[in-house]
Amino acid sequence: MTKSPASVEFRSVTKRYGSVTAVDDISFTIEPGSLVTLLGPSGCGKTTTLRLIAGLEMASSGRILIGGKDVTRLSAAERDVSMVFQSYALFPHLSVLENVAYGPTVQGLPKHRAREMALEKLALVGLQGLERRSPSELSGGQQQRVAVARALVLEPQVLLFDEPLSNLDAKLRRRVRDDIRELQKRLNLTVAYVTHDQEEALAVSDRIIVMSDGRIAQSGTPRQLYEEPANLFVADFIGDANLVDGVVVEERGERALVRIDGITIEVPRRGAGLGPVRLAVRPTAVLLQRTGPGRQAVEGRIAKAAYLGKHAEYLVASPMGELFAIDRADGPLLEEGAPVWISLADREVAIVPSAEG
Amino acid sequence: MTPSGRAWLLLGLIGYAILPWHLADLAPLANRYPAGEAGSGLGRALFGGAWWLLPIAAGLAVATVPVVARLDRDKAAAWLVAGGGFGLALLVVQGFVIGHNGWTTAWLAAWFGAPGPRQGGLGFGAALTALALLMLLCQGLADRGWCRGDAFVVSAIGLVVALIGLFVFFPVLRILVSAFQDNAGQFSFSEFAAKVLDRSIWGLDCLTSSLRCGVAWNTLFLAVLVGVGTTALGLAFALIATRTGFRYKGALRVLTVLPIITPPFVIGLALILLFGRSGALSALLYEWFDIPRSRWIYGLPGVLIAQLLAFTPIAFLVLIGVVQGISPSLEEASQTLRASRWTTFRTVSLPLMRPGLANAFLLGFVESMADFGNPLVLGGNFEVLSTKIFFAVVGAAHDQGRAAVLSLVLLGFTLAAFWVQYAWLGKRVYTTVTGKGDSGLLLPLPRRVAWLCYATAIPWAVFTFVVYAVILVGGFVRSMGRDYTPTLEHFLTGFRIEAGRHGLFLSGSAWDSFIATLKVAAMAAPLTAVIGLLTAYLMSRQSFAGRRAFEFGTMLSFAIPGTVVGVSYILAFNVPPVEITGTAFILVMCFVFRNMPVAVRSGIATLSQIDKSLDEASLTLGARSFATVRRVILPLLRPAVVASLVYSFVRAMTAVSAVIFLVSAEYNMATTYIVGRVEAGEFGLAIAYSCVLIVVMLIAILMIQLLVGERRLGRRTAPAPVGNVAVQAAG
Ligand SMILES: Nc1ncnc2c1ncn2[C@@H]1O[C@H](COP(=O)(O)OP(=O)(O)O)[C@@H](O)[C@H]1O
Ligand SMILES: [Mg+2]
């Protein structure tokens, strides 16, 4: 009798707190059974968006639909949505089992039934045997799993996570992240997931909605965002980009020939016409060579170098400006101050549409 | 429409169509129901000539539309808002414009002809209808998305706002109005000015002649003395408790709890028994030193001593926090700069305590102004505002207008004091607390300061214990000061139980008031806790328009001295529409709204420690606000529940000032009964009764703690010190 996952749809939703507009006229759709991340810097309105879905805040204008049904005016208790809070929000006066059984209990289910459902979900998150503990007697990771079990127990149409990893140590983060993704796929859940960490977002999401100042900067699959950033903000926010100026010198159908200083490369055109454009150059697309170039290159100098085990990071002074480069080659480390030849790979360089910035 | 909406609608219809609309005797029901005096709203409107009740039916009818017709949520909500709002407004307006003697305002009488229709106070039917209409209105507003669509929250706000409006703002407004009215009921500013500036209030004759000064100056003078005295004594105690190796600190603790459960005038009573003309000490002084017995204790000295005894513990509680809060590292810093202990104390510690001292002073000042019991018992010819107000109402003159004016003067003083405290101290009080874990040692007192402290505090502590010993002993001897034969006579007079023909019956003279007091306190305490904590929940967890006014209203009732409350309640509730003087209900409501601020404060303090996302987690799990409050918030709020139950129960048992205006033959309260005994000179009975009250309160406190229980929080626990809450509230 598992319920089928539901879609979530925002139609021109705005949320104001007095004079502050936390969420500004946003529209999006989360497909049933997909995991969508709300990504953006702190204060951009992610949490507010999530709380709007949950019904913990009421939209100032616009409509919110869950599973095709208008829920704009429904209170949190009336929506079939659960949330895992940043602080977990486990009830300190209840045991782990009572915490998880809380949902079915307040729904008026008989005690034994509530208990059964709770035990089932505790087993699902791998917490058998800890039912009788008080939440304060669990580690951070365990508390988080209790919070997930509690949110899952009513098999909600939509599950929400607000920065679920922020209270965990770095090692644990990766594992919990994978656990959440696995659970979501296995149970075929619709999940909205808030984070400010772009790496986390790229790793877990089906789609990402990048927010900035209460608006949607871009939404799409992780790959689309990385390869075709819609604007400078997204290009910069996702996967570090060097923003450089170039000139489109020739249109070749869907592609364009762009000259950046002395280098000419071919990249997807993305609607740009002849003339100056801005480009996002990923750090891995900046190729550094000690010796004279076999292809087009400009000359630069290493300003800073850091060896990070699997790769090396450089800050390179060049005619294009200061470039951030990542070198995966296992040659010897380039020294600070050393002259280098810079060339660009034609993948991982994208024209950024200039409509907005 | 939700089931609860339907239920309210049904209750509204019952209230309107079936229950008696007005307050009336139900005894010979047959000929007065449904159209007569005891008739229902509908009955009276249709067959009893009370046409003005008919439009209220329209409100109910409009609210019924969503039940009958199938409407979408928004439309249904609009009907509810319209019906509820319209009906409620009509109900209130008709209640206020049509009174016992026809139209209540001159211009209505002029327009429609005097005297116009008449009616008595609203009764059960009207009350239920009003409540139902209010709830329907709130339901509608919630459905329109107010407060996140949460009907419980909107209803709670509506209810609390209505109650505060009725029992706090409305009475204060009545005082204002009647202060501005002349004897004929006309508005007159000149008369008001004349009354306020009257010589008996502001006269300065005592400076130039042997005549008495105005009562305002008396009050002010006394309050300043008490403020200074309690602050000095409280500081001495606080320094001893924290900065010396004094061995009997436990005894100091007792000293802080005792006054909380001591009815305020009991201290005055003990003073009479010690220093009165036939007092125990007076007798000793006469026999040993030939010092003639006199009445010196009646008047300023007596009141001053009694208030110092009663309010020093409050200053102590405030100051001990301040003294402890001074970061030792500041003092250590001073010492490392080669300042002596005395210099350090004078230049660092004392200035840091300044805000605390000012706070303690203001508390003593306000408490002294509001105190009624001690001036009544000990005042003699020395009059203060609170007693003067009392005699203006109950005395031969029976001048309510004058009482209102005096009340305004007193209210002005206390509000000014609160304002000063709020505006000036509010920001500074905590500057001495750094919030960091200070590891330094508290500096011991310089020797001369320590001696000074001991010299003031120890005699005073001894004196306090003597006073309480008198209270203990006085009930068990025939007559303090004259005849020390042990006896249970006083207890028997008050609390005799006899075996009569129909079994046991309570023949003691105190039983009636004792049982009435227990009943009222037992009703008031849970109500205070419920309304207070609900208010705390709304203020700390919900945001809505007008929250500041809401907050102000709850705190206002704390700043109003009891006597003023008493007068205002008489003025407000002696006439329709809410005619409840002489009932137990008015006593209960009076206690609820006087003591509510403490419940609010302790609730807010506790709630602020509880993460808001706990409520939200519960909401997203499908629990509505009410279930959330019951299952999550209430269990975590236990310390605040205990604190507010204890405080309101104790205050309901010990208060005199407001209730002395509101008691009736049927509902006499213990305290007013005791005051009566004191005035009649039956000290033994009065003391014995006070002992019983103190014991009952101790038992009640223990029982409340047992019943409500501790809060389970895994490892952590947070005890709730009742004394601190009381002081917080007063501060
Ligand atoms: N209850 C509130 N009252 C006023 N402003 C708020 C409230 N909640 C959030 N905001 C404001 O709305 C904006 C977005 O907040 P939030 O959604 O919490 O950001 P994020 O989760 O992306 O960090 C911020 O500028 C914040 O200050
Ligand atoms: Mg956030």
Side-chain angles (χ1 to χ4, degrees):
Chain A
M1 52 145 256
T2 24
K3 283 175 278 190
S4 58
S7 63
V8 175
E9 193 181 345
F10 269 43
R11 293 189 187 156
S12 307
V13 174
T14 298
K15 173 72 195 177
R16 279 179 226 99
Y17 296 104
S19 60
V20 183
T21 306
V23 166
D24 191 2
D25 190 27
I26 66 175
S27 305
F28 62 81
T29 306
I30 301 179
E31 298 299 333
S34 67
L35 193 158
V36 170
T37 307
L38 297 165
L39 175 67
S42 174
C44 69
K46 311 176 295 283
T47 299
T48 308
T49 309
L50 206 65
R51 293 167 59 84
L52 283 166
I53 303 177
L56 295 170
E57 304 287 350
M58 284 289 152
S60 309
S61 67
R63 301 213 299 147
I64 299 173
L65 291 85
I66 294 179
K69 197 170 134 256
D70 190 336
V71 297
T72 316
R73 286 283 169 79
L74 294 188
S75 69
E78 292 165 314
R79 299 188 190 181
D80 195 4
V81 173
S82 291
M83 181 153 167
V84 175
F85 289 81
Q86 194 167 3
S87 60
Y88 311 145
L90 298 179
F91 305 130
H93 60 299
L94 302 179
S95 70
V96 166
L97 182 68
E98 287 167 326
N99 259 288
V100 181
Y102 183 88
T105 309
V106 296
Q107 298 294 310
L109 291 180
K111 227 180 187 155
H112 65 94
R113 180 80 193 105
R115 201 183 133 83
E116 255 168 45
M117 292 168 75
L119 284 172
E120 183 195 326
K121 290 301 184 278
L122 279 171
L124 192 67
V125 298
L127 280 180
Q128 304 95 319
L130 300 181
E131 299 86 17
R132 296 165 153 276
R133 297 252 190 110
S134 147
S136 57
E137 295 163 351
L138 298 180
S139 73
Q142 288 169 328
Q143 290 184 17
Q144 213 247 3
R145 280 187 275 164
V146 176
V148 173
R150 189 180 64 180
L152 281 175
V153 73
L154 290 175
E155 296 176 352
Q157 289 183 306
V158 180
L159 187 58
L160 310 175
F161 289 90
D162 189 0
E163 312 226 0
L165 309 184
S166 59
N167 287 334
L168 302 176
D169 58 60
K171 268 252 172 66
L172 208 52
R173 265 183 217 168
R174 175 166 237 117
R175 220 187 75 205
V176 172
R177 181 176 96 187
D178 296 342
D179 285 350
I180 290 176
R181 177 63 161 163
E182 205 234 51
L183 201 66
Q184 180 263 333
K185 282 188 166 151
R186 183 146 51 103
L187 302 180
N188 190 24
L189 298 166
T190 306
V191 170
Y193 186 109
V194 160
T195 179
H196 62 262
D197 179 347
Q198 46 102 7
E199 187 191 327
E200 189 181 329
L202 292 171
V204 298
S205 323
D206 290 313
R207 291 177 70 80
I208 297 177
I209 297 174
V210 184
M211 295 185 64
S212 149
D213 276 341
R215 292 167 185 267
I216 295 181
Q218 186 179 7
S219 77
T221 63
R223 204 182 179 95
Q224 278 171 338
L225 294 184
Y226 190 75
E227 292 181 353
E228 299 162 28
N231 51 42
L232 297 176
F233 175 81
V234 176
D236 192 32
F237 195 77
I238 301 220
D240 300 317
N242 297 295
L243 299 172
V244 298
D245 294 316
V247 182
V248 176
V249 290
E250 189 183 332
E251 293 176 24
R252 294 187 176 168
E254 281 302 291
R255 302 183 62 84
L257 214 53
V258 182
R259 203 178 60 233
I260 308 162
D261 276 294
I263 308 171
T264 311
I265 51 174
E266 194 186 85
V267 294
R269 189 159 69 88
R270 306 195 68 198
L274 292 177
V277 284
R278 300 212 83 188
L279 295 107
V281 179
R282 299 292 171 192
T284 44
V286 180
L287 308 173
L288 304 177
Q289 275 152 323
R290 233 183 250 269
T291 49
R295 49 193 290 178
Q296 308 175 16
V298 293
E299 219 180 334
R301 228 157 35 80
I302 305 282
K304 261 185 202 153
Y307 175 67
L308 294 174
K310 274 173 274 172
H311 64 265
E313 292 181 1
Y314 298 104
L315 212 54
V316 191
S318 80
M320 292 175 257
E322 231 168 40
L323 295 178
F324 177 55
I326 293 182
D327 186 9
R328 294 220 173 79
D330 11 77
L333 189 69
L334 296 164
E335 279 146 34
E336 287 180 16
V340 283
W341 288 96
I342 304 165
S343 56
L344 296 176
D346 27 319
R347 285 186 311 111
E348 305 206 311
V349 178
I351 293 177
V352 181
S354 57
E356 297 159 311
Chain B
M1 206 159 150
T2 60
S4 63
R6 286 168 200 272
W8 280 118
L9 185 62
L10 185 67
L11 286 175
L13 292 172
I14 291 175
Y16 183 70
I18 298 177
L19 294 182
W21 185 262
H22 292 111
L23 266 188
D25 245 341
L26 294 181
L29 201 55
N31 51 353
R32 300 193 293 140
Y33 189 87
E37 239 176 276
S40 68
L42 187 65
R44 299 206 68 176
L46 291 181
F47 313 112
W51 48 264
W52 59 92
L53 297 181
L54 207 50
I56 296 170
L60 284 165
V62 169
T64 316
V65 169
V67 181
V68 188
R70 290 200 61 80
L71 298 170
D72 72 36
R73 201 181 157 103
D74 272 6
K75 289 233 178 63
W79 282 97
L80 279 184
V81 172
F86 178 69
L88 191 61
L90 275 178
L91 198 154
V92 171
V93 168
Q94 64 85 21
F96 277 101
V97 298
I98 303 175
H100 271 307
N101 307 318
W103 299 120
T104 52
T105 50
W107 58 270
L108 274 172
W111 268 26
F112 296 109
R118 300 155 188 262
Q119 65 175 349
L122 300 179
F124 290 109
L128 187 62
T129 311
L131 181 64
L133 286 168
L134 177 67
M135 290 298 116
L136 289 171
L137 171 67
C138 293
Q139 187 97 38
L141 291 174
D143 286 346
R144 294 188 64 82
W146 280 39
C147 296
R148 303 196 214 128
D150 198 321
F152 170 73
V153 172
V154 183
S155 307
I157 292 173
L159 190 67
V160 175
V161 165
L163 286 173
I164 288 179
L166 183 58
F167 290 104
V168 179
F169 284 114
F170 172 54
V172 172
L173 207 66
R174 282 307 311 254
I175 280 211
L176 273 176
V177 168
S178 75
F180 278 98
Q181 277 173 343
D182 61 17
N183 288 336
Q186 297 297 321
F187 182 87
S188 156
F189 187 80
S190 56
E191 190 149 333
F192 169 75
K195 274 190 201 163
V196 166
L197 301 176
D198 192 81
R199 206 187 178 90
S200 70
I201 301 181
W202 298 104
L204 280 170
D205 297 326
C206 59
L207 298 182
T208 52
S209 68
S210 61
L211 290 174
R212 269 186 280 160
C213 268
V215 63
W217 296 120
N218 279 352
T219 312
L220 209 56
F221 183 55
L222 175 67
V224 169
L225 285 183
V226 170
V228 171
T230 53
T231 307
L233 286 163
L235 180 62
F237 280 116
L239 288 175
I240 289 177
T242 51
R243 302 287 179 108
T244 65
F246 188 61
R247 247 176 297 160
Y248 306 102
K249 288 180 186 169
L252 281 182
R253 277 277 149 209
V254 176
L255 202 71
T256 61
V257 182
L258 270 181
I260 294 170
I261 54 169
T262 309
F265 53 84
V266 169
I267 302 215
L269 178 53
L271 286 183
I272 294 179
L273 292 180
L274 275 175
F275 297 111
R277 271 179 67 81
S278 52
L281 276 183
S282 304
L284 285 186
L285 290 175
Y286 179 64
E287 278 161 32
W288 294 354
F289 306 107
D290 254 354
I291 298 174
R293 298 161 184 271
S294 78
R295 295 179 53 84
W296 66 272
I297 193 80
Y298 295 97
L300 179 63
V303 182
L304 178 62
I305 295 175
Q307 291 190 340
L308 285 179
L309 280 165
F311 306 136
T312 295
I314 296 179
F316 169 68
L317 282 177
V318 170
L319 288 169
I320 196 166
V322 174
V323 174
Q324 277 170 341
I326 293 177
S327 153
S329 49
L330 294 177
E331 292 178 348
E332 285 175 348
S334 161
Q335 281 197 302
T336 57
L337 298 171
R338 309 225 184 107
S340 71
R341 271 204 270 168
W342 166 242
T343 316
T344 302
F345 182 79
R346 200 167 43 82
T347 57
V348 177
S349 319
L350 215 49
L352 283 176
M353 289 178 210
R354 210 180 289 148
L357 292 174
N359 206 355
F361 170 80
L362 279 172
L363 272 180
F365 181 87
V366 169
E367 288 282 348
S368 163
M369 289 241 160
D371 185 26
F372 170 73
N374 287 312
L376 183 71
V377 172
L378 280 172
N381 288 331
F382 181 77
E383 286 184 315
V384 292
L385 281 166
S386 58
T387 49
K388 193 102 177 165
I389 292 170
F390 176 65
F391 288 116
V393 174
V394 303
H398 198 71
D399 187 349
Q400 292 191 344
R402 184 170 160 69
V405 169
L406 289 166
S407 297
L408 276 191
V409 174
L410 181 52
L411 190 57
F413 278 141
T414 51
L415 285 184
F418 270 94
W419 182 80
V420 168
Q421 192 197 24
Y422 182 78
W424 180 57
L425 289 173
K427 297 165 205 121
R428 304 175 195 219
V429 166
Y430 300 105
T431 48
T432 53
V433 184
T434 57
K436 287 193 207 124
D438 268 314
S439 52
L441 287 176
L442 286 170
L443 190 65
L445 283 182
R447 196 170 301 141
R448 50 187 132 166
V449 180
W451 280 115
L452 190 66
C453 286
Y454 282 130
T456 24
I458 289 180
W460 191 252
V462 170
F463 186 45
T464 308
F465 279 107
V466 168
V467 166
Y468 276 93
V470 168
I471 298 171
L472 255 186
V473 174
F476 292 96
V477 297
R478 200 159 278 158
S479 168
M480 280 296 283
R482 292 207 202 101
D483 184 352
Y484 289 99
T485 328
T487 175
L488 286 177
E489 181 195 327
H490 306 308
F491 286 92
L492 286 177
T493 319
F495 297 96
R496 192 193 304 274
I497 303 176
E498 278 178 288
R501 258 175 304 159
H502 310 289
L504 295 179
F505 82 106
L506 309 173
S507 60
S509 59
W511 280 115
D512 283 348
S513 61
F514 181 69
I515 290 168
T517 305
L518 274 185
K519 262 202 298 201
V520 168
M523 279 190 282
L527 261 181
T528 314
V530 168
I531 298 182
L533 295 178
L534 189 64
T535 309
Y537 166 76
L538 296 175
M539 297 210 299
S540 67
R541 285 297 204 262
Q542 309 290 339
S543 56
F544 48 92
R547 214 178 72 174
R548 294 305 298 266
F550 194 68
E551 217 172 320
F552 175 73
T554 57
M555 291 304 148
L556 178 65
S557 63
F558 202 84
I560 307 176
T563 16
V564 178
V565 172
V567 172
S568 72
Y569 270 44
I570 290 193
L571 289 174
F573 301 125
N574 214 7
V575 290
V578 187
E579 195 180 356
I580 51 174
T581 45
T583 63
F585 183 65
I586 194 172
L587 288 168
V588 172
M589 281 343 240
C590 174
F591 285 133
V592 167
F593 286 93
R594 269 181 74 60
N595 302 329
M596 186 180 81
V598 174
V600 174
R601 285 245 184 152
S602 68
I604 288 182
T606 315
L607 276 170
S608 64
Q609 297 170 343
I610 303 173
D611 187 358
K612 213 170 177 172
S613 54
L614 289 180
D615 316 15
E616 294 176 343
S618 171
L619 287 175
T620 58
L621 289 168
R624 285 161 195 286
S625 287
F626 180 68
T628 303
V629 167
R630 189 167 68 87
R631 288 172 182 274
V632 176
I633 297 184
L634 210 53
L636 295 173
L637 216 51
R638 285 222 170 104
V641 174
V642 170
S644 34
L645 279 178
V646 165
Y647 181 82
S648 52
F649 187 85
V650 163
R651 289 291 294 242
M653 300 275 293
T654 59
V656 235
S657 53
V659 289
I660 204 159
F661 295 91
L662 305 176
V663 291
S664 53
E666 195 182 345
Y667 290 101
N668 199 358
M669 297 290 284
T671 47
T672 45
Y673 180 82
I674 297 175
V675 168
R677 293 311 96 218
V678 176
E679 285 177 321
E682 298 173 37
F683 297 138
L685 176 54
I687 284 278
Y689 201 164
S690 305
C691 279
V692 170
L693 282 189
I694 291 178
V695 171
V696 166
M697 280 184 277
L698 283 176
I699 295 173
I701 292 174
L702 289 179
M703 271 175 39
I704 289 171
Q705 235 138 21
L706 271 180
L707 279 179
V708 179
E710 291 272 311
R711 143 172 93 164
R712 270 201 301 145
L713 269 194
R715 294 183 283 230
R716 290 162 292 157
T717 51
V722 175
N724 281 349
V725 173
V727 169
Q728 275 172 14

